[in-house]
Amino acid sequence: MPCDCASIGLNEIFTERQARRDARRYRRAGLDLRARRLIGAIEEVTPVRGATALEVGAGLGTLSIELLRTHGASHASAVEARPHSVALARELAEEAGVADRLGLELANFAERAVDESYDVVILDRVVCCYPVWQELLRPATAAARAAVALSYPRQAWWTRAFFGLANTGQWLLRRRFRLYLHPPAEMQAALRADGFLPRVAGHVGPWELLVAPRAISTRQPSA
């Protein structure tokens, strides 16, 4: 059974106060380097102009907003489990003039029925916050016609040390939230088994970027 977002403590660390700080930063400076690089990596394997996109664990939806506002995507859907983030995403989309092309859904993606397909599905800094990565990646690949893109913590001694210290701190504070350092090789193997061709597209700080075009794309040509 998929994990409930409240039971894993997402709201303990991704608070409304933090979301408002992130919104102010986006209004002032736009997307951060990792998100910009991830979009660039997607554009190297499949056209974004005219495409549809699904962003899983979208937070404030800023990556989706930029796909629509500056990269020519035709429509984007953003799934997010925290109500305050969805509300702020709606504000930012209105300010950017893309609200009519951005669908915002308050839901736990692992519990959401996959009833629609998209050209690109994006999981940016999501799998590290969820204990069972398969519950996110499996429906993501089922929904992707052309490509899946991810960012996750890179495998290094210092990321393992940081995660250990961070999780010890969460335990001492009696919080439920934990960070997860999932094996990239296993996630890549799952993508290949589902018909994708994963490749590492670079690193930004502690994050590894991965893009996985579908071996035989089922993307519909844009009008």
Side-chain angles (χ1 to χ4, degrees):
M1 176 178 292
C3 299
D4 175 75
C5 290
S7 70
I8 60 176
L10 286 179
N11 288 333
E12 296 171 345
I13 191 162
F14 299 111
T15 63
E16 182 173 0
R17 183 178 180 183
Q18 178 64 52
R20 292 194 177 279
R21 282 199 298 265
D22 291 344
R24 288 195 296 270
R25 188 180 304 114
Y26 171 71
R27 288 180 172 116
R28 183 178 66 252
L31 289 181
D32 60 20
L33 179 61
R34 181 210 68 267
R36 296 199 305 271
R37 290 268 181 88
L38 188 59
I39 291 176
I42 294 168
E43 290 180 316
E44 289 181 3
V45 300
T46 189
V48 170
R49 184 164 299 278
T52 59
L54 169 65
E55 187 181 2
V56 177
L60 302 183
T62 53
L63 196 153
S64 292
I65 289 170
E66 290 302 313
L67 286 175
L68 296 167
R69 189 174 72 90
T70 63
H71 293 268
S74 63
H75 188 273
S77 295
V79 180
E80 169 56 42
R82 293 160 293 164
H84 55 264
S85 292
V86 172
L88 280 169
R90 190 168 287 113
E91 289 181 18
L92 294 173
E94 291 282 356
E95 293 169 14
V98 300
D100 59 330
R101 294 186 289 136
L102 177 62
L104 292 164
E105 182 179 352
L106 177 63
N108 176 359
F109 183 71
E111 298 176 344
R112 176 184 181 270
V114 180
D115 54 7
E116 190 174 352
S117 60
Y118 307 82
D119 294 316
V120 181
V121 178
I122 303 166
L123 302 95
D124 182 26
R125 299 189 299 179
V126 175
V127 294
C128 58
C129 298
Y130 208 77
V132 186
W133 59 264
Q134 294 91 337
E135 293 178 357
L136 297 177
L137 196 56
R138 190 180 301 117
T141 58
R145 288 193 292 262
V148 177
L150 301 87
S151 68
Y152 48 78
R154 58 199 297 185
Q155 290 280 344
W157 69 266
W158 45 273
T159 52
R160 289 190 289 271
F162 173 79
F163 273 43
L165 288 171
N167 286 336
T168 298
Q170 294 296 305
W171 178 78
L172 291 172
L173 292 170
R174 299 187 182 279
R175 292 177 175 173
R176 293 162 294 179
F177 181 77
R178 297 291 185 271
L179 290 166
Y180 301 92
L181 193 60
H182 297 304
E186 293 184 12
M187 292 188 285
Q188 292 176 30
L191 285 165
R192 283 191 290 270
D194 285 341
F196 292 84
L197 304 172
R199 66 176 180 86
V200 174
H203 301 90
V204 178
W207 303 102
E208 184 162 274
L209 312 182
L210 183 140
V211 290
R214 188 178 282 279
I216 301 176
S217 175
T218 57
R219 175 177 176 176
Q220 300 298 316
S222 57

